Amino acid sequence: MAAPHLLIDTDPGVDDALALLMAHAHAKVEALSIAAGNVGLEHTVRNACTLLDLIEADTPVHAGCPTPLVRLPEEDAAFVHGSDGLGDVGFPAPQAQPQDEHAALTLIRRTRERPGELTLVALGPLTNLALALRLDPSLPERVKRLVIMGGAVTGHGNTMSVPAEFNIGFDPEAAKVVFEAWPMFDLVDWEATLRHAFDGDTFAAWLKAGDRRARFFDQIFGKARQYNAMRGRSGVIAADALAMAVALDESIITRAETRHVGVETEGRLTRGSTVVDWENRLQRPPNARIVFDVDQAAFGAMVARALGATD
Ligand code: BDR
Ligand code: CA
C-alpha cells in the first residue's frame, strides 16, 4: 500500500501528538493546519512546533482560527492535556516556526495544487475546515479522503453537554458546516476510541522499548494518565491516534456503517451532539462512514512503530 500524503488539522494535545508521531512515521505529511481546542491557539501552534523539533521534521505549520466560528467555548480540555496542552512538562521555546499563511487558506491552496491526492485528517474542532469550505465550497472535490475524529454516535460523549464529544462540542457550528457540505467522510467517534483503548501494560512496554519519541510521549502523558485514572478509565485512550490509523490504512477497519449524521447546534441539553439517522427515516443521503471497530493489533503495531518500539 502506498503511503498516503496527509494534510492534518489538529489542536495538539497529547493524543494529537501521538497521532502526529504516527503520521510522520508512516506517511508523507504535507502540512499541519492548527486549530484552537484542547487549549488556546498560541499553545497548540507552539506544541506542533515542539513536536516537529523532536522528530527533526520540517513540516509546514499554519495557524488557524483562535476561536470557534460563532460562540466562545464554555470549556477547553486543559484539565486533561495540561494548561499548555502537552502535560505542563515545560518544554523550551521551539525552533520550528509557523508559516504566515492561514490554516484555512493553506487547505485551499494545497488541494488546488494537488487535486485528488491528499487525505485530510481532522483531529480537532472543525473551525478551520468550515472556514475553508465557506471560502471555497469546491474543497471536497479535491480531497481524496476526509477522516474526522469527532462525535459520539450513541450519545456517550465526553463533555459537560453530556451527549457531545469534545471536538464537535467545542465548535458545533463549524461541525455542522462540514457535515452538511462534505459528501462522504470517515467518522471515528469517541465511543470507538473507548472500545480501542490499549492495555496499560502493553503501552508501558512500548514506552520502555521506544526511542526519544517514546520518552517524549511518556513525559506529556503524565497529566492525562492521572486524569484517566481518576475517572476510572482503564487502559490508554488514544482518540486521535485511532483516527490517524484509519487515515493511514483504511483496510484496518473491521466494522463500519454508512449513515446520515447531523450536528445539533441549539439543544439546551444536547448542543454539539452528533445525531445519526440509524433507520434512514429522513431519507437523506448518507454523509459518514461511521467506524465502529478496527483491527486492534494492526492499530497497536502502527503506534508501537511510531514510538520507536519496533522496526
Ligand atoms: C478529542 O478531544 C480532544 O481532547 C482530543 O485531542 C481528541 O481530538 C477526543 O474527544
Ligand atoms: Ca485533538
Side-chain angles (χ1 to χ4, degrees), residues 13-290:
V14 174
D15 61 330
D16 299 78
L18 184 57
L20 294 176
L21 291 176
M22 292 167 69
H24 283 88
H26 299 287
K28 172 82 181 90
V29 185
E30 299 293 337
L32 306 180
S33 57
I34 309 297
N38 281 322
V39 286
L41 187 70
E42 71 283 10
H43 287 300
T44 55
V45 170
R46 179 182 160 126
N47 294 345
C49 293
T50 296
L51 184 105
L52 294 177
D53 278 3
L54 172 88
I55 56 174
E56 298 175 3
D58 58 1
T59 310
V61 173
H62 299 265
C65 304
T67 62
L69 287 187
V70 179
R71 282 202 217 165
L72 289 180
E74 285 164 22
E75 56 177 328
D76 65 15
F79 57 98
V80 185
H81 298 260
S83 60
D84 69 355
L86 283 187
D88 293 328
V89 174
F91 294 111
Q95 299 286 312
Q97 292 295 315
Q99 310 285 311
D100 289 338
E101 187 180 38
H102 190 278
L105 296 178
T106 215
L107 296 177
I108 292 170
R109 176 178 64 81
R110 289 175 187 278
T111 55
R112 282 187 182 160
E113 288 169 359
R114 305 186 56 187
E117 291 181 28
L118 305 178
T119 292
L120 177 54
V121 194
L123 305 175
L126 294 167
T127 320
N128 295 330
L129 267 68
L131 185 61
L133 271 166
R134 286 298 195 235
L135 290 168
D136 180 356
S138 68
L139 177 67
E141 293 164 22
R142 301 191 302 276
V143 172
K144 188 174 181 188
R145 273 177 81 202
L146 169 63
V147 179
I148 295 176
M149 191 284 127
V153 296
T154 67
H156 295 70
N158 60 356
T159 67
M160 295 308 283
S161 163
V162 175
E165 176 279 335
F166 179 79
N167 287 341
I168 307 300
F170 189 89
D171 192 347
E173 283 78 13
K176 183 174 162 70
V177 168
V178 174
F179 280 43
E180 289 184 357
W182 217 280
M184 181 56 69
F185 52 88
D186 283 337
L187 187 67
V188 178
D189 82 324
W190 175 251
E191 296 167 25
T193 294
L194 294 180
R195 283 192 296 277
H196 290 82
F198 292 113
D199 170 71
D201 292 340
T202 305
F203 199 88
W206 294 336
L207 291 182
K208 195 158 173 234
D211 58 20
R212 66 188 193 289
R213 293 169 290 181
R215 290 191 286 284
F216 173 83
F217 192 80
D218 197 26
Q219 281 183 293
I220 67 173
F221 188 49
K223 188 139 190 174
R225 192 186 266 129
Q226 279 170 14
Y227 176 80
N228 288 337
M230 191 183 80
R231 294 293 309 254
R233 289 176 180 161
S234 61
V236 174
I237 298 163
D240 292 337
L242 181 62
M244 184 57 70
V246 167
L248 290 168
D249 181 4
E250 63 183 314
S251 76
I252 72 163
I253 299 171
T254 55
R255 191 167 66 96
E257 285 182 21
T258 301
R259 291 282 184 276
H260 185 273
V261 184
V263 178
E264 172 60 66
T265 56
E266 314 223 329
R268 193 169 55 84
L269 298 174
T270 54
R271 179 171 153 78
S273 56
T274 41
V275 180
V276 182
D277 186 359
W278 292 110
E279 294 171 356
N280 196 20
R281 286 168 199 257
L282 303 177
Q283 300 276 302
R284 289 189 184 145
N287 57 350
R289 175 168 64 160
I290 302 166

